[in-house]
């Protein structure tokens, strides 16, 4: 668990101020020296051996985990840019490609892909057809489906005290006490109280506002799954199984090979699992109760789509934040989800709101900016351990427990896995059944094919400094700094809205 907070600028990106937490040791790690396999060695390897996932078979144990590239339309539809993006990944022919976190509700969500209504199906079908075509049918295409709660931008002082703060008698009492002005008890009008609060020195606000109000003011209002005073939050256990089941049915109608329930990071389902979840309605508190809704959602999806369809879960091996889940919680959840018939378990780490950096006024908090965010996408500015294979011990413990309980669901590891030898070692030691690589695949979507064809010397190695994540944080079209300024004068190159970055990596010319 990481408790201290230290914010540093991780990388210099023209026009992008990327702030994220890094371990205080700030040891700069070099990239691992890669020994790439010959074609024959690759053919014999575990990495390129097929594996069963539910009723399907992935042709290799390579996996591209979900990555939001911010290319959907503002209404959440698949655009040509979304299709180009996944087509390009499919050309590398990974065993499994998981489409970015896609919202299950029919509500405006900015340029996040959505699947909360049938009108999204035609676009998603175009996407599955493009991927099938580009991978020659070799890549299984899954989609990650997500629910998230409301989060507001950090307000200005004027907006917070002028409008957002729900003024109560307690504020009046405290203000009267603090200012020794008895008028604030009752006589002063609401406008006068608000004006007085607005005029208070910043350090005095802690004497007036509750802890939660202070957070709303400093970080922006954010709903929690344990906000039982809100009806729609109380009702989540009644609403979410149906929403996830409907979204899954649409995914299969659109031609996806599987759905991945997003139970990781900062979002609704991970918050139900979290040890911080204090709901007292049977869906919070003890582990058995925290896993109840995630299990019910899985069961509802299964009941809707049938036993032949692949339904997997991405969840956290460790929440990282103080008071959150640790590996023993994750091991317990894995056992429960495996018993409930999950087809695979993809393990991630951290990525929480609780330790996120304070956003600037007018911006919303982002869950990958604190220590838990670092653990989710570790960079080369690290501690002794470094970013490579950083989270494999989590998948190892989870896989052991799942196997010990007699279940066969494959376990997927992620986090700084970027060489053939590292991937092969993870598989050989039984630390995971499948190896996921997000940023390495963003740096070079062809790297699987290059390895397989014995052309590993041509792999463009990710440098793990998170330029891509800086773009993601700002909801800008995600690209990689190793290729987005290359060959800009190619005939049909597509550029981002600034006209300075290419949106897709150049073709691999063998
Ligand atoms: C730009 C970007 C977007 C991401 N979006 C998602 C997402 O939508 N869902 C998810 O579960 N993880 C997401 N991740 C996390 C990755 O799937 C992966 O777990 C993480 O980057 C660690 O793997 P790596 O070291 O191979 O990059 C994202 C990562 C990046 C860099
Ligand atoms: S994928 Fe590209 S931009 Fe992202 S960390 Fe790797 S090298 Fe940097």
């Amino acid at each position: 668990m990481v408790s201290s907070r230290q914010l540093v600028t991780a990388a210099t990106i023209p026009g992008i101020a990327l702030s994220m937490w890094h371990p205080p040791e700030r040891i700069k790690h070099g990239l691992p020296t890669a020994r790439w396999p010959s074609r024959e060695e690759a053919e014999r390897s575990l990495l390129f051996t097929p594996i069963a996932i539910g009723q399907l078979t992935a042709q290799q144990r390579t996996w591209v985990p979900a990555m939001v590239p911010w290319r959907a339309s503002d209404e959440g539809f698949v655009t040509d840019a979304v299709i180009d993006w996944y087509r390009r990944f499919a050309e590398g022919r990974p065993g499994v490609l998981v489409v970015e976190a896609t919202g299950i509700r029919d509500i405006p969500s900015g340029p996040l892909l959505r699947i909360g209504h049938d009108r999204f199906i035609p676009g998603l079908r175009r996407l599955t057809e493009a991927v099938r075509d580009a991978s020659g049918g070799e890549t299984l295409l899954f989609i990650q489906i997500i629910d998230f709660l409301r989060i507001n931008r950090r307000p200005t002082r004027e907006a917070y005290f002028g409008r957002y703060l729900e003024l109560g008698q307690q504020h009046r009492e405290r203000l009267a006490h603090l200012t020794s002005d008895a008028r604030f008890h009752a006589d002063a009008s609401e406008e006068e109280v608000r004006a007085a609060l607005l005029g208070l020195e910043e350090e005095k606000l802690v004497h007036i506002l509750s802890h939660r109000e202070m957070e709303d003011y400093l970080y922006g209002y954010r709903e929690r799954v344990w906000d039982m005073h809100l009806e729609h939050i109380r009702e989540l256990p009644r609403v979410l199984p149906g929403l996830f089941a409907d979204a899954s049915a649409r995914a299969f109608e659109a031609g996806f090979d599987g759905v991945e329930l997003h139970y990781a990071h900062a979002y609704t389902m991970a918050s139900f699992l979290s040890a911080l979840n204090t709901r007292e309605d049977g869906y919070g508190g003890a582990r058995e109760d925290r896993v109840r809704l995630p299990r019910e959602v899985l069961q509802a999806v299964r009941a809707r789509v049938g036993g032949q369809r692949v339904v997997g879960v991405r969840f956290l091996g460790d929440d990282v934040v103080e008071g959150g889940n640790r590996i023993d919680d994750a091991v317990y959840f894995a056992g429960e989800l495996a018993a409930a018939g999950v087809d695979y378990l993809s393990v991630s780490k951290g990525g929480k709101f609780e330790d996120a950096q304070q956003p600037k006024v007018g911006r919303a908090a982002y869950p990958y900016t604190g220590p838990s965010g670092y653990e989710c996408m570790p960079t080369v500015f690290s501690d002794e351990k470094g970013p490579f294979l950083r989270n494999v011990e989590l998948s190892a413990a989870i896989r052991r427990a799942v196997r010990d309980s007699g279940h066969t669901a494959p376990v997927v590891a992620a986090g700084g896995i970027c060489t053939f030898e590292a991937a092969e070692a993870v598989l050989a030691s039984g630390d995971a059944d499948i190896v996921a690589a997000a940023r390495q695949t963003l740096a070079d979507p062809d790297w699987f094919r290059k390895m397989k064809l014995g052309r590993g010397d041509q792999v463009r190695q990710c440098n793990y400094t998170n330029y891509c994540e800086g773009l993601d944080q700002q909801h800008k079209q995600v690209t990689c700094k190793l290729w987005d300024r290359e060959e800009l004068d190619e005939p049909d190159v597509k550029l981002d809205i600034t006209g300075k970055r290419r949106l897709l990596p150049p073709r691999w010319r063998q």
Side-chain angles (χ1 to χ4, degrees):
M1 186 186 65
V2 190
S3 58
S4 65
R5 285 179 163 209
Q6 193 197 41
L7 291 164
V8 294
T9 299
T12 311
I13 304 171
I16 297 171
L18 165 61
S19 276
M20 57 175 53
W21 186 94
H22 280 78
E25 295 88 335
R26 211 172 156 74
I27 299 166
K28 168 100 198 278
H29 289 257
L31 298 182
T33 3
R35 188 192 64 76
W36 301 107
S38 65
R39 194 177 181 139
E40 294 70 37
E41 188 184 355
E43 259 162 30
R44 290 193 308 271
S45 70
L46 292 168
L47 189 60
F48 292 105
T49 305
I51 183 167
I53 305 175
Q55 302 295 315
L56 300 180
T57 300
Q59 293 309 311
Q60 33 180 279
R61 291 155 188 249
T62 57
W63 183 287
V64 186
M67 267 185 287
V68 172
W70 299 112
R71 278 158 172 71
S73 74
D74 284 340
E75 295 75 36
F77 285 103
V78 169
T79 58
D80 289 345
V82 170
I83 303 226
D84 292 346
W85 178 255
Y86 287 104
R87 180 189 280 282
R88 186 68 187 84
F89 280 106
E91 285 168 4
R93 305 197 172 191
V96 173
L97 171 56
V98 185
V99 165
E100 69 207 70
T102 301
I104 59 170
R105 293 185 192 244
D106 196 11
I107 51 163
S109 324
L112 187 84
L113 218 50
R114 285 162 58 186
I115 192 167
H117 187 274
D118 287 355
R119 70 178 180 282
F120 296 108
I121 295 175
L124 292 165
R125 188 173 295 124
R126 273 205 310 135
L127 174 57
T128 59
E129 284 163 2
V131 165
R132 206 148 284 138
D133 174 53
S135 74
E138 280 182 32
T139 293
L140 294 179
L141 185 66
F142 298 172
I143 185 167
Q144 185 179 63
I145 55 175
I146 185 174
D147 185 57
F148 48 89
L149 300 180
R150 179 170 157 195
I151 173 164
N152 290 359
R153 292 159 205 262
R154 180 180 159 197
T156 60
R157 210 167 201 272
E158 289 71 22
Y160 185 75
F161 291 106
R163 294 199 301 279
Y164 297 145
L165 175 66
E166 277 183 36
L167 209 55
Q169 189 55 32
Q170 72 281 15
H171 299 116
R172 287 177 168 274
E173 303 294 337
R174 292 177 200 145
L175 187 61
H177 180 74
L178 192 73
T179 59
S180 308
D181 186 343
R183 274 185 2 94
F184 289 124
H185 283 298
D187 297 342
S189 69
E190 179 168 334
E191 286 68 38
E192 285 173 302
V193 176
R194 288 189 184 277
L197 291 174
L198 183 61
L200 276 184
E201 292 98 326
E202 191 83 0
E203 60 275 14
K204 295 205 172 137
L205 293 176
V206 286
H207 302 298
I208 306 280
L209 301 177
S210 68
H211 181 75
R212 182 71 181 266
E213 287 165 345
M214 219 39 215
E215 256 189 47
D216 294 347
Y217 166 58
L218 293 173
Y219 287 78
Y221 172 81
R222 175 168 66 81
E223 290 175 349
R224 278 48 164 194
V225 302
W226 49 90
D227 282 344
M228 296 298 274
H229 58 285
L230 301 173
E231 196 195 341
H232 67 280
I233 298 282
R234 269 199 312 278
E235 288 305 306
L236 287 171
R238 258 74 62 199
V239 172
L240 286 175
L243 284 175
F244 272 99
D246 291 347
S248 302
R250 285 185 201 107
F252 289 114
E253 202 181 325
F256 284 94
D257 298 303
V259 290
E260 177 171 288
L261 310 178
H262 198 345
Y263 289 2
H265 308 154
Y267 311 108
T268 311
M269 298 307 292
S271 305
F272 269 93
L273 289 173
S274 169
L276 297 171
N277 170 10
T278 52
R279 285 179 76 115
E280 290 177 348
D281 61 346
Y283 289 97
R287 274 178 193 165
E288 303 77 63
D289 293 331
R290 294 186 338 251
V291 79
R292 188 167 152 205
L293 182 61
R295 198 181 44 227
E296 288 175 3
V297 164
L298 172 63
Q299 287 162 339
V301 170
R302 181 61 78 203
R304 179 71 60 86
V305 303
Q308 303 300 306
R309 302 296 202 178
V310 169
V311 181
V313 161
R314 190 160 215 220
F315 78 126
L316 295 174
D318 189 327
D319 286 6
V320 183
V321 291
E322 253 173 274
N325 295 335
R326 302 276 89 85
I327 183 64
D328 53 328
D329 297 286
V331 159
Y332 170 77
F333 299 144
E336 291 293 301
L337 296 169
V342 78
D343 286 321
Y344 71 83
L345 290 161
S346 173
V347 182
S348 185
K349 185 179 183 189
K352 292 294 205 180
F353 275 121
E354 281 79 7
D355 62 358
Q357 182 188 353
Q358 183 185 27
K360 293 201 175 91
V361 169
R363 306 289 291 266
Y366 203 65
Y368 304 96
T369 50
S372 70
Y374 176 83
E375 295 294 333
C376 186
M377 300 171 212
T379 74
V380 284
F381 302 102
S382 191
D383 51 19
E384 290 288 341
K385 195 172 174 189
F388 305 109
L389 298 166
R390 191 171 174 93
N391 303 333
V392 166
E393 68 223 30
L394 301 175
S395 62
I398 288 166
R399 183 174 182 273
R400 251 191 326 271
V402 170
R403 293 292 169 277
D404 287 350
S405 59
H407 297 291
T408 54
V411 173
V412 186
I417 310 179
C418 58
T419 65
F420 171 77
E421 282 181 313
E424 202 60 7
V426 168
L427 298 174
S429 58
D431 289 348
D433 301 286
I434 301 174
V435 172
R439 289 166 294 173
Q440 174 52 46
T441 312
L442 175 55
D444 186 350
D446 303 309
W447 81 296
F448 308 113
R449 278 189 65 225
K450 288 176 180 171
M451 283 191 281
K452 198 173 171 200
L453 298 174
R455 307 290 294 276
D457 56 317
Q458 295 192 22
V459 170
R460 193 189 297 113
Q461 273 190 282
C462 169
N463 63 18
Y464 294 94
T465 53
N466 279 6
Y467 165 94
C468 49
E469 179 43 27
L471 292 161
D472 178 36
Q473 269 183 37
Q474 305 203 19
H475 297 190
K476 292 189 174 173
Q477 293 160 307
V478 171
T479 54
C480 168
K481 82 167 172 198
L482 298 182
W483 49 252
D484 67 0
R485 315 272 162 158
E486 257 184 42
E487 302 173 36
L488 292 183
D489 51 358
E490 255 185 0
D492 47 2
V493 72
K494 289 185 186 153
L495 302 176
D496 76 332
I497 40 171
T498 67
K500 292 189 180 140
R501 297 184 289 131
R502 60 181 300 145
L503 287 171
L504 297 175
R507 297 225 159 276
W508 177 34
R509 296 186 190 92
Q510 296 186 48

